[in-house]
């Protein structure tokens, strides 16, 4: 059996492999998504330092659109340096990761809980430690780098 690289999130399909089951990463390396990290974060920063804290704490499935919302502590999803901070959505049909809205920000952002209410499934409630939601500029903040508005 081949090992599967799956950073902080994976899928177990019990019906795959003729009922033997199979693990897979939430990642599609083929175009157009070109996912290159097997999920959330990669365990290193831009300088290659290992030891970053990266966790997934919350999942919420929006069944009508086959989208899986993922919250926790991370700085990227799908692409190694795709700047998606602590809240991402994975499309189970296209196998693509995206930012939710314009994203969230603040120092030490952590998402602890995600809920899509059964009586109002078009809403996503997000709980955690953050200061700004749906930021309207595209400032990207990385340690040791200067950020500018476009």
């Amino acid at each position: 059996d081949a090992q599967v690289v799956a950073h902080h999130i994976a899928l177990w399909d019990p019906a795959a492999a003729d009922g033997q089951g199979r693990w897979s990463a939430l990642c599609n390396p083929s175009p157009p998504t070109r996912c290159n990290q097997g999920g959330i974060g990669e365990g290193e920063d831009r300088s290659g330092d290992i030891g970053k804290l990266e966790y997934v704490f919350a999942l919420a499935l929006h069944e009508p659109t086959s989208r899986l919302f993922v919250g926790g502590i991370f700085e990227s999803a799908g692409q190694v340096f795709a700047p998606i901070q602590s809240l991402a959505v994975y499309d189970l049909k296209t196998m693509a990761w995206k930012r939710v809205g314009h994203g969230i920000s603040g120092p030490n952002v952590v998402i602890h809980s995600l809920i899509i209410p059964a009586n109002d499934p078009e809403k996503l409630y997000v709980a955690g430690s953050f200061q700004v939601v749906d930021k309207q500029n595209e400032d990207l903040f990385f340690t040791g780098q200067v950020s500018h508005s476009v």
Side-chain angles (χ1 to χ4, degrees):
D1 292 329
Q3 289 184 339
V4 175
V5 175
H7 290 279
H8 311 293
I9 189 166
L11 170 69
W12 171 253
D13 183 352
D18 294 324
Q20 298 297 308
R22 177 178 35 228
W23 284 103
S24 61
L26 298 187
C27 181
N28 180 7
S30 303
T33 62
R34 297 189 192 276
C35 177
N36 64 359
Q37 71 183 39
I40 297 291
E42 191 178 10
E44 61 184 50
D45 63 17
R46 286 180 175 264
S47 64
D49 292 333
I50 304 294
K52 295 182 83 167
L53 293 176
E54 296 175 323
Y55 300 100
V56 171
F57 293 130
L59 300 173
L61 178 63
H62 185 254
E63 290 185 47
T65 60
S66 297
R67 291 182 300 162
L68 180 66
F69 292 88
V70 179
I73 301 173
F74 52 86
E75 293 180 0
S76 64
Q79 292 286 327
V80 174
F81 299 119
I84 298 176
Q85 188 175 19
S86 297
L87 178 62
V89 61
Y90 182 74
D91 188 310
L92 295 165
K93 291 179 183 174
T94 65
M95 297 188 291
W97 286 96
K98 292 185 181 176
R99 178 182 292 127
V100 177
H102 290 282
I104 59 174
S105 64
N108 304 313
V109 174
V110 180
I111 301 302
H112 292 284
S113 181
L114 300 170
I115 296 175
I116 298 173
N119 64 345
D120 196 359
E122 297 309 309
K123 293 195 173 132
L124 172 69
Y125 290 89
V126 178
S129 174
F130 50 89
Q131 285 72 40
V132 179
V133 294
D134 208 26
K135 59 184 184 173
Q136 294 300 310
N137 62 30
E138 292 301 318
D139 286 352
L140 306 179
F141 299 95
F142 294 104
T143 304
Q145 293 189 348
V146 178
S147 173
H148 301 282
S149 295
V150 191

